[in-house]
Amino acid sequence: MGWKRGLPGGLAVPVLLLVAAAGCGTGKAHERPGAGVPSPVGKVLDDTDESGRHYREIGRKQAPEVDTEVTPDPAGGWDVRLDLRRFRLSAAGAGATAVAGHGLAYLFVDGGLVTRLRTSAYHLPAGLVPHGTHHVTARLYADDGTVWAVQGKPVESTADVTASGAETTTPSAATRPASGAPTG
């Protein structure tokens, strides 16, 4: 004896699947407040950095911290290493939303942007640090492009580097946080 399904029973399953799928839309009417989307963090200030990016004020206790260490590379140039606390560098493609403790580090030499970092290490070519003393600064940004700030000052750290011009052997790479930047 074979198994038969009548027309009404055979149509019931596809109809139920269509109804269930329609109820699983992405409409915001059924979402819980704050579900799936991180809430904005901090307060965006009117103050901006040199490129016009607004500061995002956050309390000292929640604020990320960064220290910058620069050492000569025996093969030439300089190795930059960031020591990050309460901060995780976001992967490429991260959403453009400010999430506490996440974002990018921008690396500057003498105030000029060199690169945006998604890792805590970077090789700085010797040509960017010619003869003399230079300031290598790492500043922390949220994924939405705002600058993390504490008491109206950007969260950043600067290392002074002295290059002889002929080689990259004796740096003055003592790390000094910028004024107003959080310290340990």
Side-chain angles (χ1 to χ4, degrees):
M1 177 176 221
W3 186 81
K4 283 184 163 181
R5 181 185 319 182
L7 185 58
L11 288 176
V13 172
V15 170
L16 284 176
L17 289 175
L18 287 174
V19 171
C24 292
T26 58
K28 299 202 181 284
H30 298 289
E31 290 181 9
R32 292 187 322 259
V37 177
S39 61
V41 61
K43 177 184 176 188
V44 177
L45 305 177
D46 289 334
D47 295 338
T48 64
D49 69 359
E50 304 81 17
S51 65
R53 295 181 180 271
H54 286 274
Y55 290 173
R56 181 175 293 277
E57 182 76 25
I58 190 165
R60 186 174 296 279
K61 289 182 181 180
Q62 302 88 10
E65 298 177 17
V66 59
D67 284 324
T68 307
E69 180 182 327
V70 182
T71 56
D73 182 339
W78 303 85
D79 291 326
V80 178
R81 178 147 318 268
L82 305 182
D83 179 21
L84 302 165
R85 290 173 300 287
R86 292 189 299 276
F87 193 76
R88 175 177 268 166
L89 293 163
S90 299
T97 302
V99 177
H102 292 263
L104 302 172
Y106 285 26
L107 190 66
F108 301 88
V109 173
D110 296 331
L113 178 64
V114 172
T115 190
R116 292 170 182 85
L117 297 174
R118 293 186 182 278
T119 64
S120 61
Y122 181 75
H123 179 78
L124 191 60
L128 293 177
V129 186
H131 180 73
T133 300
H134 302 276
H135 308 291
V136 178
T137 301
R139 183 179 297 154
L140 302 183
Y141 288 75
D143 287 317
D144 68 351
T146 56
V147 182
W148 290 112
V150 174
Q151 295 178 347
K153 304 285 185 200
V155 176
E156 63 183 22
S157 165
T158 299
D160 292 335
V161 178
T162 301
S164 68
E167 79 283 334
T168 56
T169 56
T170 313
S172 168
T175 301
R176 63 176 174 83
S179 87
T183 58

